[in-house]
Every structure is written in C-alpha cells, then in structure tokens.
Amino acid sequence: MSADTSPKKTPLHEVHEDLGAHLVDFAGYLMPLRYASETAEHQAVRTGAGLFDLSHMGEIFLSGPGAGATLDYALVGNLSPMPVGKARYTMICGQDGGVLDDLIVYRLADETWMVVANAANKDVVRDALAERAANFEAAVDDRSASYALIALQGPRSQAILEGMTGAPLADLRYYAILADRVAGVDALIARTGYTGEDGFELFVDAADAVPLWKALAAVDGVVPAGLSARDTLRLEAGMPLYGNELTAETTPFEAGLGRVVKLDKPGDFVGKTALAAQAQTPPGRRLVGLVARGRRAPRKGYQVVTSGGTPCGVVTSGAPSPTLGTPIAMAYLDSGVEETDLAVDVRGRQEPVDVVTLPFYKRS
C-alpha cells in the first residue's frame, strides 16, 4: 500500500472552511491562501491587525545540559550565551555552507530551547539536529504535531492582546518570549513575526487553537489573513523566504545575511570551513531589491537582463506591492553587473526596473 500523500490539516482547518477561505496545498498542509481580498488582508496588517494560522510550522525542542552547545555546533549562530526569554534568527547549514533552513530559536529555560522551522523543512531540521546532537548531552524532541501557532500582526496587536492577557506586553521586547495565559489558554507569547509590523506569535496546545482564534477574531477590526498577504508583507519588508531567496544551494553571504554567521564563536560548527572561506571572497551573486517602472510584476524565475538583453540575474520573489502601489521583487544579480539600465523579462517583454536597497518598506 502506498503512503498517504494528501495534505495535512491544521487544528484550525474547519475554522478556515467556515470563513470561506480559498485553501491550497502549501508545504504539505491545506492552508488559507486568502479569505476574501488579499489586498484588504495585507492593508489590515499594515494599519490595524491581521490574524494568521501558522500551525504548519515546526516546533523542535532541545533539552539537557548540552542543549546550548548542541545549537552552537549545529547552527551558524552563537546561541548558548542567549538569555532565557530571548529569541534569535539563525540558520542551519550543510558542510558546504548551503542553507538547509532559516530558523528562530527561543530559549525557554536554562536547559530548554525551542527551534521553529519552516514547514517544508522541519523533518530535515529535526533529523539534522538529532544527528548533530549525538556527541552532546541533549535530547531532540519534535513537538510540531502538539502545537498550534497563531500570529497576530499589526500596529494594534499589542492593544488587542492586552485585553486578553495579564502578561506585561509593554515590557516584552522584539525577539523575546514569555509564558502566560491568553483568552483563558496557556500560551507562549513571542514578540516575533514575518510581516514587517509589530506583532505576536502565540504557541498553544493544538486543542486550544480554535477557542483562541475565535476570541481574537471576535475583536472588532481583526482581519483573518492568508498566505498571499503574508507573502506580500514579508516581500515589502525584505524578508527572505526559504525556497525562494534561501536554498540548499545558497549561502548566507550570497543572501546578504552573513551577519548571522558567527565565525568567531568558540569551537567548531557545521559548515564553518566553507563559510569562513566565503567570508573572505566576494560572492558570485548578490541579493537586491527591484522596483518596476511599469505595471507588470516580475515573478519568481523571471530573468533579469542588461540593456542589451544579456541575462544577468534571476527574480526570486515578486508581486505588486499594496503599500507602495507598484510591482516589486527580490532578485539575485551576478557580481560585477552595473545596477543601471536593467530590465526583467516578463513573458518575452523587457520591463525596466530600478535597483533599490532592501527593505522596500520599514515601519515608522
């Protein structure tokens, strides 16, 4: 008998159906692409508050006296000095320096850490962490199936959440986490997100996902938002997406994220030799932002060309920007290419673009 390859459902699946969401297979899960207007959902996050189901993400716990040392060896960041209650953006790389996934790591207690992985890569991350933990006093436990993850993002998110919890949210800094109750359920409350706005990510028991979602959605002005809005929000904020800007064939330095690689941390780590060599050599390509002069949006996979039509790069992500009112994209350009007189080949037609510094949007 063949294995069941049908998409999995998150604990909020029936809620999405009741809301009339357009559901798609994303990373092996049935996820809401949009509920009504993706532009309205995007604008709700920029101006008020949007509600996202992120329960497809992976939650992998490391515990034990050697958990911090395991993460220092397994990941490119220097995690062990991080205080309890803090979080850090980092990556897990192969020996060749290629990115296996980008991660957020939370320190929940002295010997307890939570690694949040992208849905498509969580098995790869879990297996790599287990293999790399072999010589350390650390246990690796994939608890993804037990957790739901709900994100409340936007400038109103703190005020909304304060009406449902006694947690000191005003004191919770960006990239920090605490445990408390929200709308009557136990939650890990993290001030993190992937939208370029202030916001929170709430890790709860899968059985508590529906009542928490309904409590948040009942607040006036809170708008459920799907994957389409999440993608345009993160694109405007210049945030990379695994499978687009980051791949196993891409290193952090090529993606302009060399700052997350801590070559000076004590001891060895997986990929250090390759990454140290690349740190001394200009990468063969660089990630840039593109703003289209016309109305046709560059899309993933489209070629960037010179004024003479010579291919010189490739678009990794692109879409019309609801905030800026013009098409934008991220793309890899070959080293040495002049950043003027460039265009994107949009179905055989060269559409002029301007190269800009990322991010496209930054909240005030």
Side-chain angles (χ1 to χ4, degrees):
M1 295 178 64
S2 60
D4 183 8
T5 58
S6 58
K8 300 176 183 177
K9 299 175 181 178
T10 76
L12 291 162
H13 179 77
E14 291 185 1
V15 171
H16 302 319
E17 286 189 321
D18 291 343
L19 290 171
H22 176 54
L23 298 167
V24 296
D25 184 347
F26 180 79
Y29 285 82
L30 274 177
M31 298 294 294
L33 184 66
R34 69 181 69 83
Y35 297 88
S37 162
E38 57 201 50
T39 300
E41 293 167 18
H42 177 111
Q43 298 290 17
V45 176
R46 288 279 181 255
T47 61
L51 193 60
F52 297 87
D53 177 13
L54 307 181
S55 302
H56 60 312
M57 302 288 280
E59 291 85 18
I60 303 165
F61 283 70
L62 278 79
S63 59
T70 298
L71 292 171
D72 286 345
Y73 172 70
L75 310 181
V76 301
N78 189 18
L79 284 305
S80 60
M82 187 168 69
V84 173
K86 297 297 183 182
R88 187 162 296 162
Y89 176 78
T90 187
M91 297 178 186
I92 183 167
C93 290
Q95 288 287 6
D96 63 353
V99 180
L100 302 181
D101 201 14
D102 60 334
L103 314 163
I104 296 182
V105 177
Y106 300 87
R107 190 170 192 172
L108 304 181
D110 285 343
E111 297 184 0
T112 305
W113 308 70
M114 179 173 67
V115 177
V116 177
N118 286 297
N121 298 330
K122 59 187 174 184
D123 290 350
V124 170
V125 173
R126 177 199 62 215
D127 294 347
L129 288 174
E131 179 183 349
R132 298 174 189 188
N135 296 323
F136 298 89
E137 290 185 79
V140 178
D141 183 15
D142 184 355
R143 303 183 193 173
S144 303
S146 300
Y147 274 87
L149 176 55
I150 296 172
L152 182 68
Q153 299 282 299
R156 289 190 58 220
S157 57
Q158 178 176 320
I160 290 166
L161 211 56
E162 283 176 334
M164 299 185 181
T165 181
L169 299 182
D171 298 330
L172 189 67
R173 305 295 294 273
Y174 189 48
Y175 267 68
I177 190 169
L178 56 78
D180 212 304
R181 290 179 68 80
V182 179
V185 305
D186 292 330
L188 292 170
I189 306 170
R191 198 161 205 153
T192 47
Y194 201 59
T195 63
E197 296 297 337
D198 187 21
F200 301 86
E201 296 182 317
L202 309 173
F203 299 86
V204 299
D205 189 279
D208 293 326
V210 171
L212 177 57
W213 175 281
K214 289 185 175 180
L216 291 165
V219 177
D220 186 47
V222 173
V223 176
L227 294 174
S228 286
R230 182 170 163 83
D231 192 51
T232 52
L233 289 159
R234 69 93 193 168
L235 176 58
E236 289 182 348
M239 295 177 168
L241 177 66
Y242 196 89
N244 292 39
E245 288 71 41
L246 300 173
T247 70
E249 291 73 43
T250 306
T251 71
F253 291 99
E254 289 176 308
L257 294 168
R259 64 183 182 276
V260 308
V261 181
K262 304 303 180 184
L263 293 169
D264 58 349
K265 65 179 175 178
D268 193 17
F269 65 90
V270 177
K272 181 177 182 178
T273 300
L275 290 168
Q278 188 166 116
Q280 302 301 317
T281 306
R285 55 182 185 159
R286 62 194 186 278
L287 188 67
V288 301
L290 303 177
V291 175
R293 297 179 191 172
R295 307 308 301 171
R296 303 179 80 191
R299 298 290 184 178
K300 178 181 178 181
Y302 288 7
Q303 284 189 328
V304 183
V305 296
T306 66
S307 57
T310 303
C312 62
V314 63
V315 173
T316 54
S317 298
S321 165
T323 303
L324 304 180
T326 189
I328 59 173
M330 288 193 279
Y332 278 108
L333 285 187
D334 298 338
S335 292
V337 172
E338 294 291 334
E339 296 184 353
T340 56
D341 296 324
L342 297 180
V344 172
D345 187 334
V346 180
R347 299 189 181 93
R349 179 174 171 179
Q350 293 188 12
E351 297 288 343
V353 294
D354 294 314
V355 177
V356 300
T357 301
L358 294 170
F360 302 98
Y361 166 86
K362 193 171 185 178
R363 66 187 174 96
S364 57

